[in-house]
Amino acid sequence: MPVIIRHAEQADAKAMQQIYQQPSVYANTLQLPLQALNHWEQLCQSRPGFYNLVAELDGDVVGQLGLQQFQNQRRRHAADIGMAVSEPFQGQGIGSALLRTALEMADNWLNIRRLELQVYSNNEAAVALYERFGFEVEAELSDYAFQYGAYVSVLQMARITTNS
């Protein structure tokens, strides 16, 4: 059965919580382990400029991507993304499907010219995924976050589209 990408609903909060409780997921995001369900329920609430996508496979939510369009008038052309895929489904095209859908929305419906993200510099699989979709490294930010008892760097990446 193919992966279905759709907007997250309130009923998806528990599945999102379970994804982000997996060690390789919270280690590679800014999420803390063991977040309360209420945290994920709030993420599923509608907010201006926030698009919360989930990947569903055989009826189960196996990935999530958040696209936040900046609300400042001078930054409305830009958005930030963050995503995660459940450990058993990593490397199986779920991240690509989420990213492809987010880029289609950004390019064809939201008029987003600049899409930004931060990824840990040691997360080679994620960096390769983003590069395949046209993201380029703009900077490396040292000691950006605390992970497993040490400070780690992130790559600031962006994909900029130009209107033809």
Side-chain angles (χ1 to χ4, degrees):
M1 179 178 244
V3 64
I4 297 168
I5 307 299
R6 60 175 176 77
H7 197 278
E9 302 294 337
Q10 200 67 36
D12 298 320
K14 183 69 174 166
M16 289 169 50
Q17 179 191 40
Q18 291 172 344
I19 291 169
Y20 282 91
Q21 286 183 160
Q22 298 168 357
S24 72
V25 174
Y26 63 73
N28 285 303
T29 67
L30 288 176
Q31 297 296 329
L32 290 172
L34 308 175
Q35 292 274 2
L37 181 59
N38 179 267
H39 172 82
W40 303 105
E41 290 170 343
Q42 289 177 10
L43 189 67
C44 289
Q45 292 176 358
S46 182
R47 298 182 297 205
F50 182 68
Y51 305 91
N52 188 5
L53 306 177
V54 293
E56 185 180 296
L57 187 64
D58 296 328
D60 294 321
V61 172
V62 297
Q64 183 269 341
L65 182 146
L67 185 153
Q68 177 69 56
Q69 186 173 17
F70 298 117
Q71 296 302 293
N72 180 302
Q73 290 299 322
R74 295 178 65 188
R75 294 271 293 152
R76 301 246 349 172
H77 69 288
D80 185 62
I81 62 167
M83 64 184 276
V85 174
S86 183
E87 287 177 345
F89 299 95
Q90 292 175 6
Q92 298 181 30
I94 304 298
S96 292
L98 282 162
L99 199 49
R100 190 175 300 110
T101 301
L103 294 177
E104 195 272 334
M105 283 179 58
D107 293 347
N108 297 317
W109 301 103
L110 300 175
N111 197 26
I112 293 174
R113 179 181 173 105
R114 178 182 172 83
L115 201 51
E116 306 173 355
L117 62 89
Q118 296 81 36
V119 59
Y120 291 116
S121 55
N122 62 358
N123 189 344
E124 295 173 6
V127 172
L129 170 67
Y130 298 133
E131 287 176 337
R132 278 195 307 274
F133 281 87
F135 287 83
E136 296 180 5
V137 174
E138 294 185 323
E140 183 168 354
L141 309 176
S142 300
D143 292 352
Y144 184 84
F146 200 64
Q147 177 193 61
Y148 289 119
Y151 289 101
V152 294
S153 299
V154 299
L155 301 176
Q156 173 68 42
M157 299 182 78
R159 175 184 173 270
I160 300 173
T161 57
T162 56
N163 297 337
S164 302

